[in-house]
Amino acid sequence: MATPVVESLFITLKRGMAGVRHQHVRIVKAIGLTYRQQTVERTNTPAMRGAVAKIPHLLTLETNLQRAARLAAQAEARKLRPPVIVKHA
């Protein structure tokens, strides 16, 4: 069975830019992030992976496959469950 291809990366900025080196701020802006908890979708290229590798303490990285699995699990958790019926004696 062939391994699935990772086509896109979902990058989330987890920390603010206060007190961060100027070079790191430039990398975050080049990725396209401007505020905390913002998520952007970028293509999976060596250049993008290199930019993310320079500042892993500021970012969270998900592949398209990981994101789909996480969103499916969240949807399953939010599904309505049958009500609990309690019979009193």
Side-chain angles (χ1 to χ4, degrees):
M1 183 168 136
T3 59
V5 178
V6 176
E7 298 170 355
S8 59
L9 304 172
F10 290 88
I11 305 166
T12 304
L13 182 62
K14 283 295 183 184
R15 294 185 54 203
M17 294 289 98
V20 175
R21 291 181 176 185
H22 181 67
Q23 294 91 345
H24 294 180
V25 173
R26 289 179 59 193
I27 292 169
V28 168
K29 287 186 179 183
I31 291 173
L33 297 166
T34 55
Y35 53 89
R36 283 186 337 144
Q37 302 302 324
Q38 180 184 10
T39 302
V40 294
E41 181 180 3
R42 297 289 178 249
T43 57
N44 184 16
T45 61
M48 190 55 61
R49 286 212 179 254
V52 170
K54 287 184 181 236
I55 50 174
H57 57 285
L58 299 175
L59 305 175
T60 299
L61 178 68
E62 282 184 316
T63 64
N64 55 345
L65 306 172
Q66 291 171 336
R67 183 176 172 92
R70 181 178 58 83
L71 292 177
Q74 285 178 350
E76 182 66 28
R78 281 193 302 263
K79 252 176 38 176
L80 292 176
R81 295 186 294 262
V84 176
I85 299 173
V86 178
K87 295 181 181 179
H88 296 283

